[in-house]
């Protein structure tokens, strides 16, 4: 996640103090994990240190003093450069669900089998998918709708991978010494794919 660039974008729309940065970020990305205040202030501090943001005032508004930040010319250039650079395509195998499955397969003594890891992850993904579907798009602006749609499609792709992992582990559980039966022999046929996990959720 490009926290620095997101903070620059939030400051570009209007000078803000840390609480406002967090509040606006969470409004822009309601389906994402809320920013922690520690992340906000640490990021703002780095931006000021690097000359990408600056302190414009300190105000209290009847409460505790708050430091207000604004983006600098260098910060605008950094944000423009970030926006002009395509994001790296997904599929590098570096996501946590892939890492955990591979680790469980490679470390049978860890106490967590790959089947258990995949099953728990599938349950968590299905739960999150239901939450997103229940939220709906009514009354939200197009930016929020697009962000939510991306989250849904990403979850859908993960669920397809998890379903395939379940099928693979059921046929080849001993391929890496994870136990549960003999590995599939060359020429063995794979079981017919099960219905996609999204079916029946609506």
């Amino acid at each position: 996640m490009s926290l620095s660039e997101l903070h620059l974008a939030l400051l570009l729309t209007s000078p803000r103090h840390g609480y406002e940065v967090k509040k606006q970020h969470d409004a822009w990305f309601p389906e994402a994990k809320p920013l922690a205040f520690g992340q906000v202030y640490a990021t703002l501090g780095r931006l000021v240190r690097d000359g990408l943001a600056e302190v414009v005032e300190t105000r209290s508004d009847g409460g505790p003093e708050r430091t207000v930040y604004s983006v600098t010319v260098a910060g605008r250039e950094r944000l423009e450069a970030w926006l002009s650079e395509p994001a790296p395509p997904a599929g590098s195998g570096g996501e946590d669900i892939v890492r955990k499955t591979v680790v469980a397969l490679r470390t049978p003594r860890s106490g967590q089998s790959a089947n258990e890891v995949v099953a728990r992850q599938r349950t968590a993904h299905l739960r999150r998918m239901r939450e997103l579907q229940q939220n709906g798009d009514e009354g939200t602006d197009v930016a929020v709708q697009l962000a939510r749609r991306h989250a849904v499609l990403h979850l859908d792709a993960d669920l397809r991978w998890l379903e395939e992992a379940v099928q693979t582990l059921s046929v080849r559980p001993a391929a890496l010494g994870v136990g549960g039966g003999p590995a599939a022999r060359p020429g063995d046929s794979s079981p017919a794919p099960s219905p996609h996990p999204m079916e029946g959720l609506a």
Side-chain angles (χ1 to χ4, degrees), residues 23-194:
K23 184 177 179 181
Q24 192 63 28
H25 170 275
D26 295 348
W28 280 14
F29 305 101
E31 309 306 335
K33 181 180 179 180
L35 278 183
F37 283 108
Q39 284 180 299
V40 172
Y41 291 111
T43 302
L44 290 172
R46 287 194 298 271
L47 292 175
V48 171
R49 180 199 65 195
D50 296 339
L52 303 175
E54 60 185 354
V55 175
V56 293
E57 65 173 318
T58 300
R59 62 181 185 226
S60 62
D61 296 329
E65 284 194 348
R66 299 183 185 275
T67 302
V68 179
Y69 301 84
S70 181
V71 67
T72 64
V73 173
R76 288 172 181 263
E77 293 173 350
R78 167 77 170 269
L79 179 60
E80 183 179 352
W82 177 70
L83 288 171
S84 66
E85 185 73 21
S92 63
E95 293 194 22
D96 275 353
I97 62 170
V98 180
R99 290 193 183 101
K100 288 184 178 183
T101 303
V102 170
V103 168
L105 282 167
R106 299 285 185 185
T107 57
R109 295 180 181 177
S110 65
Q112 296 291 325
S113 73
N115 285 306
E116 291 171 325
V117 169
V118 169
R120 277 195 298 269
Q121 193 64 57
R122 184 174 181 275
T123 298
H125 269 59
L126 287 169
R127 184 185 306 117
R128 181 58 178 150
M129 181 69 80
R130 292 190 183 97
E131 291 173 356
L132 288 172
Q133 290 179 328
Q134 289 168 0
N135 287 340
D137 289 331
E138 186 176 352
T140 59
D141 62 34
V142 66
V144 172
Q145 291 177 23
L146 287 172
R148 182 170 294 159
R149 183 61 178 159
H150 179 272
V152 168
L153 292 175
H154 190 85
L155 281 170
D156 183 59
D158 281 351
L159 281 166
R160 290 178 184 276
W161 181 85
L162 288 163
E163 191 68 16
E164 185 173 318
V166 169
Q167 294 293 327
T168 300
L169 291 171
S170 69
V171 176
R172 304 177 61 189
L176 288 171
V178 295
R185 296 185 300 274
D188 284 352
S189 59
S190 299
S194 61

